[in-house]
Amino acid sequence: MKKIFLSLIMSALLFVPAFADDTNAVQKSNIEIKNPNFENAKVQIAEELNLSKKQQKKADKIYTKARAKIVVLNNQISDKQKEARMIKLSRIDTKTQLERLIKINGEIDILYQTRDKIHNGAMKKFDNILNKNQKKIWNDMKLHGSRFFPEIESMV
């Protein structure tokens, strides 16, 4: 009995840090902040790649479509994280609490994977609209992408 109780407590300790770090992320994701540097970066990228108007329209369409799906997934992730927090604060027995947290954590993982697939698919579609020279420039830009967002570099 002591071993079971001890293993349950150890399992609970594994989940606490994973959800504690997401508190700020959830609060930030609920507030849609328009980043002016992102708009500037889009313009810079379009100029450096020398995108035609047709390519720019396709890129905007790809971005808008993917962004809409990603926002929905981010909201679902946020809801699941809130649900996990509520379960942790509830007064149900530890075993039931752990079972629910494991299930929710699995659902969150699936949502993250889905979001990554959408993002990667959008990146592949964007790569497909570029010509050979633009692809070379784009790959170089991705390697040095932090120059478009210097405030991110200072946060790391």
Side-chain angles (χ1 to χ4, degrees):
M1 183 70 174
K2 288 180 184 179
K3 289 181 182 179
I4 293 173
F5 184 69
L6 185 60
S7 65
L8 288 174
I9 289 184
M10 294 303 289
S11 300
L13 291 175
L14 291 174
F15 286 108
V16 171
F19 290 109
D21 291 339
D22 292 335
T23 307
N24 291 334
V26 170
Q27 290 172 352
K28 289 178 186 175
S29 69
N30 288 340
I31 302 170
E32 188 68 30
I33 299 173
K34 193 77 166 175
N35 186 350
N37 291 333
F38 178 75
E39 294 302 321
N40 294 338
K42 276 175 50 176
V43 171
Q44 275 185 302
I45 290 169
E47 287 175 359
E48 284 194 41
L49 290 175
N50 197 18
L51 295 177
S52 67
K53 294 288 181 189
K54 186 177 179 181
Q55 286 176 316
Q56 286 180 10
K57 285 181 183 179
K58 284 183 181 179
D60 282 337
K61 193 175 185 179
I62 291 167
Y63 170 77
T64 306
K65 193 175 181 180
R67 179 71 183 149
K69 292 177 183 177
I70 288 172
V71 166
V72 170
L73 288 170
N74 283 342
N75 290 335
Q76 290 175 352
I77 290 168
S78 175
D79 291 343
K80 291 291 180 183
Q81 289 170 339
K82 286 177 186 175
E83 184 180 343
R85 264 187 243 104
M86 295 305 294
I87 289 173
K88 282 192 235 175
L89 296 174
S90 69
R91 295 182 181 226
I92 58 176
D93 65 296
T94 309
K95 183 179 179 183
T96 307
Q97 204 175 39
L98 283 174
E99 288 171 354
R100 287 185 182 175
L101 288 174
I102 289 170
K103 181 183 175 199
I104 290 172
N105 197 27
E107 292 169 357
I108 290 172
D109 286 344
I110 291 170
L111 291 171
Y112 276 126
Q113 291 170 4
T114 305
R115 186 180 71 177
D116 289 344
K117 285 179 186 175
I118 292 169
H119 172 76
N120 293 338
M123 291 297 287
K124 284 180 184 175
K125 287 179 184 176
F126 180 74
D127 285 345
N128 289 337
I129 67 170
L130 302 175
N131 63 33
K132 218 176 202 181
N133 187 36
Q134 289 170 328
K135 283 183 184 181
K136 183 183 179 303
I137 295 169
W138 176 238
N139 288 331
D140 291 342
M141 289 171 69
K142 286 192 287 188
L143 290 174
H144 302 88
S146 61
R147 70 188 169 109
F148 291 111
F149 302 101
E151 70 279 358
I152 294 174
E153 207 171 76
S154 64
M155 290 170 31
V156 175

